[in-house]
Amino acid sequence: MEGVPTQTTPPQTRAERFGDALTSWATKLPKSLRFITPEFVGFAVLGTFTFAIDMAILAALKAWTEWPLPVDVAIGYLCAFGLNYVLNRTVNFKSHAPVGGQMLKFTAITLGDLAFTTIVTTWLNWLGVPFPIARVGAACCVGLFTYVGARFWVFRKEPVQD
């Protein structure tokens, strides 16, 4: 019909296309592994990437500063989580919701994760575990919590209204 507006889906951004390419193989997993969603795969890949950034910053701070370990861990973690938020919002969860509310929710998760990560990393290091291994151990503990918070609270898909 002429003159009647049609609803179309906006074209995907470059980041969204990259996210699809990154995670498309997850839909081809065997039935026993179908609980592994493309969003979980994307979160894991992006989390691994930003964790590497976190570790690089941590190593640089340990090598070039005399700051206490908790300060180094906090700085690396906050830098990596800022990057993680942007990548997950644009590449993985493809969110177009207002940034403000999401950023506040993500900040709440990040602060909880940061406190836990700093305490566990420092405690393990105090027990004699080398700090990179201690940091990896702490990251394993918070990864699933962070995904659940991001998927079901921060980047929650709102139901489509008619």
Side-chain angles (χ1 to χ4, degrees), residues 3-125:
V4 176
T6 59
Q7 185 176 3
T8 61
T9 304
Q12 283 192 316
T13 65
R14 186 176 305 148
E16 291 170 340
R17 288 190 305 272
F18 176 74
D20 287 345
L22 186 70
T23 62
S24 62
W25 60 270
T27 60
K28 297 171 182 66
L29 290 171
K31 280 188 179 188
S32 61
L33 297 175
R34 293 272 165 85
F35 66 92
I36 301 174
T37 66
E39 285 177 335
F40 182 78
V41 170
F43 187 85
V45 170
L46 295 174
T48 301
F49 172 71
T50 57
F51 181 72
I53 299 295
D54 179 356
M55 292 301 288
I57 292 169
L58 178 58
L61 291 173
K62 287 300 296 168
W64 300 330
T65 72
E66 296 292 323
W67 296 340
L69 181 62
V71 173
D72 295 341
V73 169
I75 290 170
Y77 197 80
L78 290 173
C79 292
F81 253 67
L83 177 60
N84 187 276
Y85 169 78
V86 170
L87 291 174
N88 270 296
R89 177 179 163 80
T90 58
V91 174
N92 190 38
F93 294 108
K94 302 170 182 84
S95 178
H96 296 281
V99 172
Q102 285 183 342
M103 182 60 80
L104 286 174
K105 291 175 182 179
F106 200 80
T107 299
I109 289 172
T110 301
L111 290 175
D113 285 354
L114 173 60
F116 184 82
T117 298
T118 303
I119 290 166
V120 170
T121 302
T122 303
W123 178 70
L124 289 173
N125 187 249

Side-chain angles (χ1 to χ4, degrees), residues 40 43 109 113 138-152:
F40 182 78
F43 187 85
I109 289 172
D113 285 354
C140 291
C141 293
V142 300
L144 186 58
F145 168 77
T146 305
Y147 170 73
V148 170
R151 168 66 181 85
F152 296 105

